[in-house]
Amino acid sequence: MASNKGRAYFALAGYHFNPDDITRLLGIEPTSVNSAGARSGLDKPVISSWELSTDTVTTENGTDEVDVYKLTDIILKQLEPIKGEILQVCKSHNLSPRIGVVLTLSIDKDETCPDVGFGARMIKFLAEIGAFIDIDYRLSERI
């Protein structure tokens, strides 16, 4: 049977910006970028994104559970020191910040379902930078 999988990420998204500029201004390397918006015309805007993600954890690789609190804390520890820079790039490049959690849930009845939540420090940080939350979940296989 399939196991639970999960990862957390922080993303900045917007139109007509080059993610390499964000990397330079924040001084932190992203785990992925999409620069499609940097090349799009004004008549058909396309979104670019800059993302910092944890590794995907699974319950089959020695982990008892997918701990969303722990995953988001890994991201928060990297972002707190650059909060001012995040606020500046969001304003200067008109970017939308978000924290996200991506979960693939096992349909095995013996597999526990992970708790999804955020600690007080994370909630405070998200409020201070004007971020929103995105939870993406799917089942490991179709029923």
Side-chain angles (χ1 to χ4, degrees):
M1 267 297 169
S3 60
N4 291 329
K5 297 177 186 176
R7 73 178 179 94
Y9 69 90
F10 174 78
L12 296 170
Y15 297 101
H16 308 295
F17 81 94
N18 185 338
D20 292 340
D21 294 340
I22 304 308
T23 300
R24 182 179 47 78
L25 293 167
L26 294 181
I28 188 169
E29 283 295 320
T31 49
S32 68
V33 297
N34 177 340
S35 60
R39 299 179 301 277
S40 69
L42 295 176
D43 57 332
K44 291 187 179 179
V46 178
I47 292 179
S48 286
S49 63
W50 182 99
E51 183 178 293
L52 180 65
S53 176
T54 64
D55 291 333
T56 298
V57 297
T58 65
T59 53
E60 67 188 12
N61 63 6
T63 306
D64 290 336
E65 64 182 6
V66 174
D67 188 337
V68 172
Y69 291 93
K70 189 180 290 183
L71 291 172
T72 57
D73 196 50
I74 291 168
I75 297 291
L76 182 61
K77 287 177 181 175
Q78 295 174 73
L79 299 177
E80 281 179 320
I82 58 168
K83 181 176 82 172
E85 289 86 345
I86 292 170
L87 288 167
Q88 284 178 325
V89 299
C90 286
K91 185 175 182 179
S92 65
H93 291 75
N94 195 26
L95 302 179
S96 178
R98 76 178 61 147
I99 190 78
V101 175
V102 180
L103 296 170
T104 302
L105 303 175
S106 171
I107 61 168
D108 183 352
K109 66 180 185 208
D110 295 327
E111 188 78 43
T112 61
C113 190
D115 291 334
V116 177
F118 303 94
R121 270 182 44 230
M122 176 59 84
I123 292 169
K124 181 177 185 243
F125 179 82
L126 296 174
E128 289 171 349
I129 65 168
F132 63 95
I133 298 168
D134 183 32
I135 307 294
D136 179 19
Y137 64 92
R138 55 193 78 120
L139 297 176
S140 60
E141 47 184 78
R142 293 269 179 196
I143 299 174

